[in-house]
Amino acid sequence: MDRWGERIIARTGRGLLSGRRRRAGNLVEIVDHSGLAVPRPPTWMRWLPAAYVAFVMLLESLAPTPWAVSFLLIALLVVAAYALGPVGVAAFTVVGVALEGIVAGTPCCTGHNLHELWESHHVAAYIATGLVGILGVALAAHRRRQERHLVRSNSVAQALMRTLLRPVPHRVGQVLAAGLYRSGEVGTMVGGDLYDIRATESGERAIIGDVRGKGLQAVRTVADILGSFREAVYDPGDLPAVAARMERRLVREAEELPDDELFVTAVLVEYDAPAHRVTIVNQGHIEPVLISRGEVTALTGPPALPLGLGALAGEDPVAYTHRFDRGDVLLLCTDGLIEARDHTGAFYPLLDRLRHRFTGGPAPGPDDVINFLNTDLPHHTRVLHDDVALLALAPYDDDNGDGDGDDGFGVGDGVGEP
């Protein structure tokens, strides 16, 4: 994974744990009793207090003798509290007072008279430095406590999202799959996008969706929708029946909150392996994209309102089908991808980028599509302002010798690491 921390879930899962250990060796400085690690400050920040001392001493040697440049050392403790822990700040407090005394009254080093060491303005500087140092120690201790608290909170959020967005297995029934998730909340994994895939007697069924809103409130809705989907896909009935059950659950959720504007855009997909086709129900979401024989096509169908707003239409969503053969890849995404802007404000041209990459080449797999988008999207935009979720599916070829199949129950150890 690259430096801005996208979550690639799925494929074979190899290298995830070893990657964590490698990163831990470079990033971790503090580990508390619960095993939670606080990221180490950047190198330049850790060296900033020493650099500040060197700067003041150089300025002292170059400045005219009457100038009390050493008084600048009072600010040293604020600099240290910004980067170091309580012990480090205390050490620099002692260093700061000692250097002020050396500069104030050491004839051999600065040319000053020894009696100047205890002049009132120098004594005031010592006292001020000591007081600022005490405050700096308290500030550094408070900062460390806050860092640990944020790490714990982020770990809880990550555990929650891992529970909801389970890793996409490399193979689910008769399809190969890969996925990617990145939250629009910087530094967390909390978001309102969702996806899942299950192998059922009716075929492999998948969902991708986008909850209105962000943050913890959106996570509650994500939990409700995914829970409803994971129950409904195994019940008898076609794909519109699954959508209808999820619609009813979301309506009850809106009544409990209450929230008259609660809705979820979603796409439901069902793969029928013997018939080589996919059935799609689109509830106000972005159209699925089919990559087939070098062509990239958006699979449009009958429009329907998002989940939660079905009562406004007074009719059930209509499913539509499309051919889905060996070598094809079906890409499902949320609007965080296509609405990502570059420095000029232009949206990410998903279809054009996919055509540019896969037209004229060999048939890609789900991994290829996800890896390409994972690499290409950061070239288009540096900062994402919305959640991004991707799910790529392809028919499983019984002749490809792939023996690491999965039953679609979401085994794995997490959604990825930042």
Side-chain angles (χ1 to χ4, degrees):
M1 290 190 288
D2 62 17
R3 60 183 177 84
W4 58 289
E6 294 82 358
R7 281 79 169 156
I8 296 184
I9 305 147
R11 308 194 298 270
T12 61
R14 56 181 176 269
L16 180 60
L17 183 57
S18 62
R20 288 177 182 166
R21 289 173 179 167
R22 287 194 299 269
R23 289 192 297 272
N26 295 328
L27 298 180
V28 172
E29 179 185 21
I30 309 160
V31 179
D32 66 10
H33 61 85
S34 63
L36 299 175
V38 178
R40 176 185 295 179
T43 301
W44 68 266
M45 187 182 294
R46 298 196 303 272
W47 283 97
L48 191 59
Y52 185 81
V53 170
F55 167 75
V56 173
M57 298 309 295
L58 177 63
L59 191 61
E60 173 70 25
S61 65
L62 297 178
T65 302
W67 290 16
V69 177
S70 62
F71 286 6
L72 294 175
L73 290 171
I74 297 175
L76 169 64
L77 295 317
V78 177
V79 177
Y82 181 69
L84 304 178
V87 175
V89 177
F92 270 100
T93 301
V94 175
V95 170
V97 174
L99 288 176
E100 287 175 344
I102 291 173
V103 172
T106 52
C108 63
C109 299
T110 62
H112 296 172
N113 295 322
L114 187 61
H115 71 273
E116 296 180 11
L117 178 64
W118 301 110
E119 288 187 352
S120 59
H121 59 286
H122 286 301
V123 173
Y126 309 152
I127 295 173
T129 303
L131 291 176
V132 174
I134 293 173
L135 294 176
V137 169
L139 177 61
H142 177 71
R143 195 195 80 245
R144 284 288 172 84
R145 287 194 298 270
Q146 291 296 101
E147 287 174 347
R148 289 188 173 95
H149 174 73
L150 290 175
V151 168
R152 291 190 183 97
S153 299
N154 191 39
S155 298
V156 171
Q158 290 184 19
L160 174 62
M161 293 307 294
R162 289 192 185 105
T163 302
L164 297 178
L165 299 181
R166 301 171 187 176
V168 179
H170 176 60
R171 178 187 167 194
V172 182
Q174 295 302 308
V175 300
L176 301 178
L180 178 148
Y181 172 80
R182 181 175 186 263
S183 172
E185 297 285 342
V186 177
T188 73
M189 296 176 63
V190 176
D193 285 6
L194 57 98
Y195 55 81
D196 198 10
I197 180 169
R198 299 277 153 166
T200 72
E201 294 182 356
S202 301
E204 290 67 41
R205 290 176 167 177
I207 183 175
I208 193 165
D210 187 357
V211 176
R212 182 191 67 84
K214 296 181 179 180
L216 295 178
Q217 182 58 62
V219 172
R220 171 175 172 171
T221 305
V222 168
D224 286 330
I225 288 295
L226 286 177
S228 177
F229 171 80
R230 288 164 181 166
E231 292 181 2
V233 290
Y234 296 104
D235 292 343
D238 56 10
L239 210 56
V242 175
R245 180 168 175 175
M246 296 171 63
E247 170 76 23
R248 292 191 296 269
R249 179 65 189 94
L250 197 58
V251 169
R252 290 196 299 270
E253 170 72 5
E255 293 173 351
E256 292 173 3
L257 285 176
D259 186 351
D260 295 335
E261 298 180 354
L262 181 64
F263 65 85
V264 177
T265 66
V267 168
L268 300 174
V269 174
E270 178 182 284
Y271 174 55
D272 186 344
H276 300 283
R277 71 165 181 259
V278 288
T279 301
I280 301 170
V281 172
N282 191 335
Q283 304 267 183
H285 199 75
I286 302 166
E287 294 86 358
V289 176
L290 180 66
I291 304 173
S292 177
R293 298 175 180 83
E295 296 183 359
V296 178
T297 309
L299 302 183
T300 58
L305 291 176
L307 295 170
L309 303 179
L312 300 178
E315 57 185 22
D316 295 331
V318 178
Y320 59 101
T321 62
H322 200 279
R323 188 77 179 173
F324 196 44
D325 291 314
R326 173 183 175 183
D328 294 349
V329 174
L330 185 68
L331 175 66
L332 311 176
C333 67
T334 56
D335 58 7
L337 175 66
I338 64 173
E339 292 180 358
R341 297 175 181 266
D342 63 10
H343 66 281
T344 67
F347 292 119
Y348 181 69
L350 175 61
L351 297 183
D352 291 341
R353 295 303 300 155
L354 291 175
R355 292 186 182 112
H356 179 268
R357 171 61 179 84
F358 297 111
T359 298
D367 293 348
D368 300 321
V369 176
I370 294 299
N371 287 336
F372 167 70
L373 294 174
N374 178 45
T375 304
D376 192 56
L377 185 58
H379 294 161
H380 179 81
T381 181
R382 293 185 177 181
V383 179
L384 293 178
H385 299 286
D386 197 2
D387 306 328
V388 173
L390 304 175
L391 184 62
L393 311 173
Y396 171 68
D397 180 8
D398 291 326
D399 298 328
N400 65 3
D402 188 350
D404 62 343
D406 195 272
D407 58 5
F409 287 89
V411 296
D413 68 345
V415 215
E417 291 293 329

